[in-house]
Amino acid sequence: MGVNRGVAGGGRRRYDSPLREERARQTRQAIVTAASRLFVARGYAATSFADIATEATVARPTVFAAFGSKAALLREVVDQALAGDDKPVPVAERPWFRPVWEGRTPRAVLEAYAGVCRVIGGRAAEVFEVVRRAADEGPELADLWGTMQRNRRAGATMVIDHIEGLAPGPPGLDHERAVDVVWVFNDPSHYRSLVRGCGWSEQEYTAWIADQMHHGLGLDAARG
């Protein structure tokens, strides 16, 4: 009898735990989605936990319990905007980043990376602007903005490392200066300005970013 009850109880825990975890994940996702909408529409400072709770149709304490602070919630909004979901997979290991690694010439790598810039810009350009505007509101937000800039530079470094592994380095540029060039052009603010602001198509934007990186690195058509 005791054994049977133990088995039954274990079965309930086995089945209930994944269900509870999935419900908790769905709640977190509802909060992140609501926060993203409100941060973009109203700005970080003008958005409260109460506003986010109402938008997500959860209780205010639920928002606090899930994230602890508004800055931590903004960090999660940024992470998901960059990655596209809440899975713990780095951007450089995502399927949509794979064409960068598969590029066999500098030109092919830069064209693929321009596509990555388009993907990230489409998801994260407005969120980047939210963080940029909020960066002066406290050390935690300033640190988040700094982390975002360092991550952009890390992405540029990976691209240059890959290009240098395929061919001699860009003529007239040392490694760090080449990284500088790619870092300037992987800024999502270009997407926000040109696609959202000026009405460029995504294809026009992607081609322009690829051309600007190629030109900035001094890579002629014969080598790229």
Side-chain angles (χ1 to χ4, degrees):
M1 180 175 174
V3 171
N4 288 337
R5 188 166 59 189
V7 171
R12 284 195 297 271
R13 283 194 296 273
R14 224 174 13 250
Y15 288 108
D16 290 350
S17 180
L19 180 59
R20 285 197 301 270
E21 289 173 2
E22 177 59 20
R23 286 174 176 169
R25 190 193 71 82
Q26 290 175 356
T27 298
R28 281 178 59 88
Q29 283 305 109
I31 293 169
V32 170
T33 300
S36 180
R37 282 197 299 263
L38 293 178
F39 287 152
V40 169
R42 301 180 184 179
Y44 176 83
T47 301
S48 68
F49 262 11
D51 296 330
I52 295 167
T54 298
E55 182 78 7
T57 64
V58 299
R60 185 184 181 282
T62 301
V63 180
F64 182 81
F67 295 97
S69 72
K70 194 166 69 165
L73 175 52
L74 178 58
R75 187 178 292 273
E76 182 65 19
V77 167
V78 170
D79 286 347
Q80 292 198 26
L82 288 169
D85 56 43
D86 62 342
K87 297 177 182 177
V89 180
V91 165
E93 297 177 14
R94 298 274 172 167
W96 42 268
F97 201 96
R98 190 174 301 129
V100 175
W101 304 128
E102 294 173 347
R104 298 275 66 91
T105 67
R107 167 64 82 174
V109 172
L110 293 174
E111 288 179 349
Y113 191 57
V116 168
C117 294
R118 181 193 70 242
V119 170
I120 290 178
R123 286 200 298 251
E126 301 300 335
V127 173
F128 263 69
E129 181 65 11
V130 168
V131 181
R132 185 189 69 80
R133 293 182 178 182
D136 292 335
E137 296 182 22
E140 194 170 359
L141 295 172
D143 179 68
L144 174 58
W145 180 242
T147 298
M148 292 162 68
Q149 302 315 300
R150 290 189 294 274
N151 287 346
R152 280 181 47 227
R153 189 168 186 86
T157 300
M158 287 191 298
V159 170
I160 292 301
D161 286 346
H162 185 39
I163 287 175
E164 290 177 344
L166 297 172
L173 292 180
D174 64 19
H175 177 83
E176 288 303 312
R177 186 59 61 89
V179 171
D180 292 344
V181 170
V182 176
W183 179 76
V184 165
F185 289 109
N186 73 9
D187 190 339
S189 67
H190 296 312
Y191 183 98
R192 185 171 184 269
S193 296
L194 296 175
V195 178
R196 301 270 167 79
C198 298
W200 285 28
S201 70
E202 292 202 335
Q203 291 75 17
E204 289 171 328
Y205 165 81
T206 306
W208 183 81
I209 289 290
D211 286 344
Q212 292 303 311
M213 289 190 293
H214 194 267
H215 177 73
L217 291 174
L219 298 170
D220 58 42
R223 288 182 51 198

